[in-house]
Structures are given as C-alpha cells and as structure tokens.
C-alpha cells in the first residue's frame, strides 16, 4: 500500500472524488468532514500527508493547523476557494507546505502531492532542512549590525531582538547566506516554502514587505534591495 493520506473536506462529493483518484494512484486514504474530527485523526500521526480544506465546520482549517503547531511532522496541503495572497501567507505561516485553490485540476493536485511527499517525508522531519554552502559552522549569519542565529532561531539588530515568523526567518537566512547574489522570486519561493510553486511569486513580495516593516523601517536602514524584474538582494557593502 502506498502513502497514507487524510482528506479533510466538508463537501462529501468532492472528498469522494479525491479519494477515488488517490486510491487509483495507489494511496491509502481516509476522510474527515469537519475540523474537529480532522484534528483528532491528524494527531494520531499515522499519515504521510494531509489535504486540508480551510472552510470547515466546527473548527476551520487554519485553526486546525494552529492547534497542530508549526512543528507538526505531517506535511499539509491546504485546499480552499479563497485565493487572496494573505490567505495563502496565513496558511504557509501556519505550517502548510503547499496551497491549492479550488477549482483545481486533479492532475495538478496529484503532482503537488508527489512533490510534497518527496520533499517532506514524515520519517525524517528534518529532511527538508538543507545546509547552505555559504553558512558557517556555528549557524551565525551577519550583515553589519544585524545577526541571525540559526540554532537559537533569533534575529537581533544592535542587540535589539526582532520577532519573525518561521517563513520570514528562513527568507532572511536565504538572503543573508547569499549576499551580493540576486535571488529571483522563484528561487526564494522554492527555498522558503520547500517546493517549486510555479507562479504565485507575489507571496514572496508579501514576505519581503513584512521583513522590511520589521527591520528596514524600524531601524531606518536599507538592507533588502529590489532588483526590478528579477528579485531581491542583500549587498554586503
């Protein structure tokens, strides 16, 4: 039997359709139709992946994600009719590895599932944590008076602590470890979100805006620079 997938979808016909397609692909499938039962099943920790609708009765999908916690080992792909950028950012920040908007082609969903299972194997919760070639042994990354400590998951500027979400922290680390190299939006999206999410690069712009509001604007510096039509860069000088 293939990977075990939990489908959480309150539209029973859609849930059944997804179930049949997944079974056809060789997956083992279970279903839940509301957030409460989804949470109970997810906490069993027996699934390779969870497909989670956001608009659920009793407990919505984002709240389910929040209760499971960011360190929850099972990868989650969110299914939703809501396509606003901020909804996507909220889902990713909550710990989802991917996000697909209804209506979707089943072939696209299956492809995203394959990628998620490959990049986020449950048996190794750190499998998607890659060592950057430019990182130092201690996991300390600096830019002038800014310091990112990977082991302590802490960022400071002149001793002032900066509170970042996990995605913001990862994006800043990617930029710091590639100083003077222009990082395209697609590259940043792949490194930060852990999958090749074609399109939707405006999500990157949202995270950059968050970083600037917490660092550049607060401390009156210009750390993250935009390279028009390409992406972003932190220059060492």
């Amino acid at each position: 039997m293939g990977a075990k997938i939990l489908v959480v979808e309150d539209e029973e016909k859609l849930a059944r359709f997804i179930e049949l397609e997944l079974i056809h692909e060789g997956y083992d499938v279970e279903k839940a139709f509301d957030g409460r039962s989804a949470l109970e099943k997810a906490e069993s920790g027996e699934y390779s992946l969870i497909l989670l609708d956001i608009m659920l009765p009793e407990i919505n999908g984002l709240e389910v994600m929040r209760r499971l916690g960011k360190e929850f080992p099972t990868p989650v792909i969110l299914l939703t009719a809501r396509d606003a950028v901020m909804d996507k950012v909220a889902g990713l920040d909550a710990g989802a590895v991917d996000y697909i908007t209804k209506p979707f082609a089943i072939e696209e969903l299956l492809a995203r599932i394959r990628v998620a299972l490959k990049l986020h194997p449950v048996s190794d919760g750190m499998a998607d944590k890659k060592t950057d070639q430019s990182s130092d042994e201690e996991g300390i990354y600096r830019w002038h008076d800014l310091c990112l400590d990977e082991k302590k998951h802490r960022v400071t500027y002149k001793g002032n602590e900066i509170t970042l979400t996990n995605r913001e922290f990862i994006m800043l680390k990617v930029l710091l470890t590639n100083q003077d190299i222009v990082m395209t939006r697609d590259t940043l999206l792949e490194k930060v979100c852990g999958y090749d999410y074609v399109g939707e690069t405006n999500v990157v712009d949202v995270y950059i805006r968050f970083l600037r509001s917490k660092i550049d604007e607060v401390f009156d510096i210009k750390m993250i620079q935009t390279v028009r039509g390409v992406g972003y860069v932190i220059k060492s000088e």
Side-chain angles (χ1 to χ4, degrees), residues 5 8 10 25 27 30 33 39 41 65 81 91 100 111-113 115-117 153 160 171 178 206-207 222 235:
I5 297 177
V8 186
D10 64 330
E25 294 295 317
Y27 297 113
E30 289 189 4
F33 303 109
L39 192 60
K41 289 189 175 185
M65 291 287 298
I100 188 167
R112 289 176 184 271
I113 288 172
V115 171
L117 290 173
H153 205 275
N160 298 292
M171 180 165 289
N178 292 279
V206 171
Y207 283 122
K222 292 185 178 180
K235 295 184 178 180

Side-chain angles (χ1 to χ4, degrees), residues 126-137 141 150 173 177 191:
M126 298 301 290
D128 61 333
K129 187 174 182 179
K130 304 176 182 178
T131 302
D132 196 292
Q133 292 181 349
S134 61
S135 65
D136 60 35
E137 294 181 357
Y141 309 92
E150 184 176 18
K173 177 184 172 246
T177 56
K191 286 182 176 292

Side-chain angles (χ1 to χ4, degrees), residues 5 12-13 21 36 53 55 63 67 85 102 109 122 131 139 142 145 167 179 182-183 202 215 230 235 237:
I5 297 177
E12 295 192 20
K13 288 185 179 179
E21 291 291 335
R36 191 172 303 280
D53 188 20
M55 302 301 290
E63 178 63 15
R67 295 191 187 186
V85 173
K102 301 175 187 176
L109 177 61
V122 175
T131 302
R142 302 181 186 277
D145 294 315
R167 300 280 179 180
Q179 291 182 45
V182 178
M183 306 296 288
N202 49 2
I215 301 174
V230 183
K235 295 184 178 180
E237 296 182 356

Side-chain angles (χ1 to χ4, degrees), residues 200-217:
E200 306 300 342
T201 53
N202 49 2
V203 170
V204 171
D205 298 328
V206 171
Y207 283 122
I208 291 294
R209 188 166 71 247
F210 288 165
L211 284 173
R212 283 174 169 164
S213 68
K214 293 180 178 181
I215 301 174
D216 295 45
E217 295 175 13

Side-chain angles (χ1 to χ4, degrees), residues 132 141-143 146-149 154-157 162-179 183 188 191-192 207-208 210-212 214-216 221 223-224 233-234:
D132 196 292
Y141 309 92
R142 302 181 186 277
W143 180 82
L146 183 136
C147 176
L148 183 149
D149 188 328
R154 186 168 181 256
V155 178
T156 58
Y157 183 80
I162 303 167
T163 302
L164 302 179
T165 67
N166 188 52
R167 300 280 179 180
E168 293 164 359
F169 185 91
I170 296 172
M171 180 165 289
L172 179 59
K173 177 184 172 246
V174 170
L175 290 168
L176 286 173
T177 56
N178 292 279
Q179 291 182 45
M183 306 296 288
L188 284 170
K191 286 182 176 292
V192 172
Y207 283 122
I208 291 294
F210 288 165
L211 284 173
R212 283 174 169 164
K214 293 180 178 181
I215 301 174
D216 295 45
I221 57 177
M223 180 178 66
I224 303 173
V233 63
I234 292 178

